[in-house]
Amino acid sequence: MKKFITITTLALLVFITGCNSARKTESAESKKAIVHFTEPAELLTLDTTQEEDFTSFNAQNQVLEGLYQLNEKDETIPAVAKELPKISEDKQTYTIVLREDAKWSNGDSVTAKDFLYAFKRAVTPETAPSYASLFVSSIKNADAIYQGKMAPEQLGVETPDEHTLVIHLIKPIPYFTSLLTFETFFPINQAFAERQGSSYGTSAKTTLYNGPFVLEGWEQNSDTWTYVKNQNYWDKKNVHVDEIQTTVVKSTSTAVNLYQTDELDRVILDGEFSKQYKNDLDFQNQNDTKMGYLRFNQAQGKLLENQNLRKAIALAIDRDTFVKNVLGDGSIAATGFVPKNFVQNPKTGEDFRKENGVQQTFDKDTAQKAFAQAKEELHKTDITLVYLTKDTDTEKKTAEYLASQIAEVLPGIKFELTTLPSNNLQERYLSGDYDIAFGQWMPDFKDAITFLDMFASTSGLNHVNYKNPTYDRLIQAASDTDAAEEEKRWSDLLQAEQLLLAKDYTIAPIYQQQTALLQKKNISGVVKHSFGSPYSFKYIQVDESK
């Protein structure tokens, strides 16, 4: 996934209006289970062909639903689909039957044509998202449509009837079913979306829903919104919370204060607070596959087009000291970009991270030598770089710490720290008006290529402007020519990461996140995922006896 991206990811904090903690609230007419969550950044869009930030991914996963969803074990289970797909003998045709009781929030049936419409939008050049690569690399004719060589009607997807979807792939893709849980593969109601035009997905009122919740009270730049139980949802009997009232809270200290006064039921902790509360009975630590990293803009004319400058910065970062002194939440110093305990060698079972070893680490002498060479190549004695960061407590602390640490190792380098709200940061990043931007990446599906293919020169997610024909060939081989040969494909991906990090220094991985939090005992069912959307709220429950 993946993605702007804040260290606190999703600060799920729960508090109750007019009460001390989340619980069932009574009225003359009914009882309602109402909880309050927070996000660390604004919600930018509900259009599944536009999202690139975690808040949007998370929101879409609560109010929209695809053919399949992930359960608490990250297993793929049916959602709008009635059952898992029937796969042809050559593993290139997926036939999927939809449940007939799936409805949109306006009462319309969710049909196969809603998925076909969404898929066409995802590959049509005028509407295609950055994640178009997921379709281009998998579905028949998607690449030609994306390049404007074919009409969208020629996409390799059929709808023989209202409740049957047939998807034709260009090759066997072992992870394709899990890929269908990703938000860009979710349906869109064509009639509704076309009535909204360019306003579709930009507010609660200009979006139609088919997930466990509908959204109320949101417009772009809003700092509050509410998830309300969707009464037309096919599985509403398993949705036990009536409302999730959400507020953007960027300060961890503010959130912790609210938790201490029982106005919050769940709060994500940063470094100092993690250390302070690690022995608290409410303290939890969750494993994560999200990677925090520095993105180097290598566009023509940018200083970081210089490979030695990228190398100097990447090797000037003491990641172990950073995760201990700044994060303090159990996060792991990164030595590569593919995280630990995510994917394993198909033949030996060895973890990718262990097998590929250390690709970047703190090396003061080598960093200083590379910096000296960079200055000579650039004909500069002093170098100033624009560092973009989000306006959350943790990201600001991260930027300040890393800038100070790098400048200490590399005298003569300076950073202009530019702190922006999420929407402004995204616009600036996508326009290429930066040198360094902090980012996070959470895998979209369970395969190492989800961390690596975004740096192919043709990828819509390659906003760092990296271009290396050898890297492109490795990614192409892993995606195509070697796709059916597991050992060759695994080797392609190992080599690609080595080239990306240890030769070209395209990015600088900093840490693999571990999430530290406090959570009240009466809240359960917040499902954390290791890929795809960060969380599912469908199974949240409030125990009024606690």
Side-chain angles (χ1 to χ4, degrees), residues 338-339 342-356 446-449 452 474 477-478 482-498:
V338 178
F342 177 54
V343 288
Q344 290 72 41
N345 185 312
K347 182 177 181 180
T348 67
E350 187 168 21
D351 189 71
F352 185 102
R353 184 71 276 124
K354 182 178 180 181
E355 183 168 346
N356 221 24
K446 195 173 176 59
D447 191 274
I449 202 168
L452 302 172
L474 288 167
D482 295 342
E485 299 185 55
E486 290 183 334
E487 290 183 57
K488 281 188 177 181
R489 182 176 187 273
W490 184 259
S491 177
D492 294 334
L493 296 173
L494 293 172
Q495 291 178 65
E497 192 197 49
Q498 292 165 15

Side-chain angles (χ1 to χ4, degrees), residues 174-237:
Y175 54 81
F176 187 72
T177 303
S178 74
L179 187 59
L180 293 173
T181 68
F182 190 64
E183 283 80 2
T184 314
F185 289 86
F186 284 8
I188 297 175
N189 184 296
Q190 181 174 358
F192 181 88
E194 291 182 346
R195 281 199 303 272
Q196 306 308 316
S198 61
S199 296
Y200 175 72
T202 62
S203 71
K205 293 181 179 179
T206 59
T207 310
L208 200 62
Y209 311 98
N210 76 315
F213 302 94
V214 301
L215 206 66
E216 293 184 357
W218 171 74
E219 295 180 354
Q220 285 183 325
N221 300 319
S222 295
D223 59 5
T224 61
W225 58 87
T226 302
Y227 300 102
V228 177
K229 184 175 179 177
N230 183 359
Q231 295 303 320
N232 283 320
Y233 181 53
W234 67 271
D235 197 28
K236 67 179 181 180
K237 68 179 183 298

Side-chain angles (χ1 to χ4, degrees), residues 36-292:
H36 289 234
F37 283 9
T38 74
E39 289 277 6
E42 296 82 2
L43 168 58
L44 301 185
T45 183
L46 291 175
D47 184 346
T48 54
T49 60
Q50 296 297 319
E51 80 283 8
E52 286 200 21
D53 64 293
F54 280 126
T55 304
S56 296
F57 276 112
N58 186 63
Q60 290 170 17
N61 198 46
Q62 317 317 322
V63 299
L64 299 167
E65 186 171 78
L67 294 161
Y68 301 101
Q69 60 184 264
L70 299 174
N71 65 13
E72 67 279 2
K73 297 179 181 179
D74 282 343
E75 298 167 332
T76 302
I77 61 174
V80 176
K82 185 183 293 186
E83 57 192 10
L84 293 175
K86 294 180 180 177
I87 305 173
S88 62
E89 189 173 341
D90 67 0
K91 299 181 181 180
Q92 291 183 218
T93 300
Y94 284 58
T95 301
I96 300 168
V97 178
L98 278 59
R99 58 176 65 254
E100 296 184 7
D101 56 348
K103 303 285 185 183
W104 290 101
S105 51
N106 66 354
D108 290 352
S109 293
V110 179
T111 69
K113 289 184 178 180
D114 295 326
F115 286 93
L116 177 56
Y117 175 69
F119 291 7
K120 287 179 180 178
R121 273 175 57 109
V123 297
T124 301
E126 294 76 17
T127 55
S130 296
Y131 287 94
S133 59
L134 298 178
F135 293 80
V136 166
S137 62
S138 61
I139 298 178
K140 185 178 178 181
N141 295 339
D143 187 23
I145 297 167
Y146 183 65
Q147 295 184 43
K149 298 177 180 179
M150 280 188 179
E153 289 69 30
Q154 293 177 278
L155 185 65
V157 180
E158 301 173 74
T159 56
D161 58 60
E162 280 199 346
H163 294 99
T164 305
L165 191 71
V166 181
I167 305 173
H168 299 282
L169 304 185
I170 58 177
K171 63 199 173 194
I173 302 175
Y175 54 81
F176 187 72
T177 303
S178 74
L179 187 59
L180 293 173
T181 68
F182 190 64
E183 283 80 2
T184 314
F185 289 86
F186 284 8
I188 297 175
N189 184 296
Q190 181 174 358
F192 181 88
E194 291 182 346
R195 281 199 303 272
Q196 306 308 316
S198 61
S199 296
Y200 175 72
T202 62
S203 71
K205 293 181 179 179
T206 59
T207 310
L208 200 62
Y209 311 98
N210 76 315
F213 302 94
V214 301
L215 206 66
E216 293 184 357
W218 171 74
E219 295 180 354
Q220 285 183 325
N221 300 319
S222 295
D223 59 5
T224 61
W225 58 87
T226 302
Y227 300 102
V228 177
K229 184 175 179 177
N230 183 359
Q231 295 303 320
N232 283 320
Y233 181 53
W234 67 271
D235 197 28
K236 67 179 181 180
K237 68 179 183 298
N238 286 315
V239 180
H240 301 291
V241 65
D242 295 293
E243 293 183 10
I244 304 170
Q245 298 182 7
T246 306
T247 305
V248 175
V249 177
K250 299 180 181 182
S251 167
T252 306
S253 60
T254 299
V256 170
N257 287 337
L258 291 169
Y259 188 89
Q260 290 173 327
T261 56
D262 288 332
E263 294 179 83
L264 302 176
D265 289 300
R266 180 178 169 102
V267 53
I268 304 297
L269 303 174
D270 62 14
E272 289 305 314
F273 289 105
S274 298
K275 297 171 188 175
Q276 183 178 343
Y277 285 96
K278 66 180 180 180
N279 295 319
D280 193 286
L281 293 176
D282 289 347
F283 182 84
Q284 297 181 25
N285 201 282
Q286 297 177 335
N287 293 326
D288 212 326
T289 53
K290 187 180 299 172
M291 303 298 292

Side-chain angles (χ1 to χ4, degrees), residues 5-9 322 327 329 394-395 398 438 440 511 513:
I5 307 196
T6 168
I7 291 178
T8 51
T9 274
F322 169 77
L327 299 184
D329 57 4
T394 307
E395 280 210 19
T398 296
F438 180 79
Q440 285 187 313
Y511 65 89
Q513 180 170 305

Side-chain angles (χ1 to χ4, degrees), residues 272-451:
E272 289 305 314
F273 289 105
S274 298
K275 297 171 188 175
Q276 183 178 343
Y277 285 96
K278 66 180 180 180
N279 295 319
D280 193 286
L281 293 176
D282 289 347
F283 182 84
Q284 297 181 25
N285 201 282
Q286 297 177 335
N287 293 326
D288 212 326
T289 53
K290 187 180 299 172
M291 303 298 292
Y293 65 109
L294 295 183
R295 299 175 284 199
F296 300 144
N297 188 353
Q298 294 144 68
Q300 187 174 7
K302 290 289 186 178
L303 291 174
L304 284 167
E305 186 181 9
N306 183 276
Q307 184 261 4
N308 274 306
L309 182 56
R310 300 194 303 270
K311 179 178 180 179
I313 295 171
L315 300 185
I317 301 168
D318 186 341
R319 294 154 174 83
D320 290 311
T321 301
F322 169 77
V323 297
K324 179 181 179 181
N325 293 344
V326 178
L327 299 184
D329 57 4
S331 291
I332 304 165
T335 59
F337 195 42
V338 178
K340 292 182 178 180
N341 304 318
F342 177 54
V343 288
Q344 290 72 41
N345 185 312
K347 182 177 181 180
T348 67
E350 187 168 21
D351 189 71
F352 185 102
R353 184 71 276 124
K354 182 178 180 181
E355 183 168 346
N356 221 24
V358 175
Q359 299 302 313
Q360 288 183 13
T361 191
F362 178 52
D363 187 336
K364 183 176 179 179
D365 290 341
T366 304
Q368 290 177 337
K369 289 176 183 176
F371 188 52
Q373 192 168 346
K375 289 189 290 184
E376 183 177 336
E377 292 166 351
L378 293 167
H379 307 291
K380 289 181 177 291
T381 56
D382 294 301
I383 289 176
T384 300
L385 300 171
V386 175
Y387 183 136
L388 292 185
T389 189
K390 198 177 291 183
D391 61 348
T392 62
D393 278 358
T394 307
E395 280 210 19
K396 287 189 288 187
K397 290 177 184 176
T398 296
E400 291 165 0
Y401 186 93
L402 293 180
S404 175
Q405 188 183 76
I406 294 166
E408 183 179 348
V409 175
L410 306 176
I413 197 168
K414 297 179 181 178
F415 297 93
E416 291 181 2
L417 300 183
T418 304
T419 303
L420 297 169
S422 185
N423 54 343
N424 301 116
L425 180 70
Q426 185 177 22
E427 291 173 6
R428 180 93 173 253
Y429 172 68
L430 295 179
S431 72
D433 186 13
Y434 76 99
D435 292 304
I436 294 177
F438 180 79
Q440 285 187 313
W441 185 263
M442 181 176 174
D444 301 327
F445 48 91
K446 195 173 176 59
D447 191 274
I449 202 168
T450 187
F451 283 93

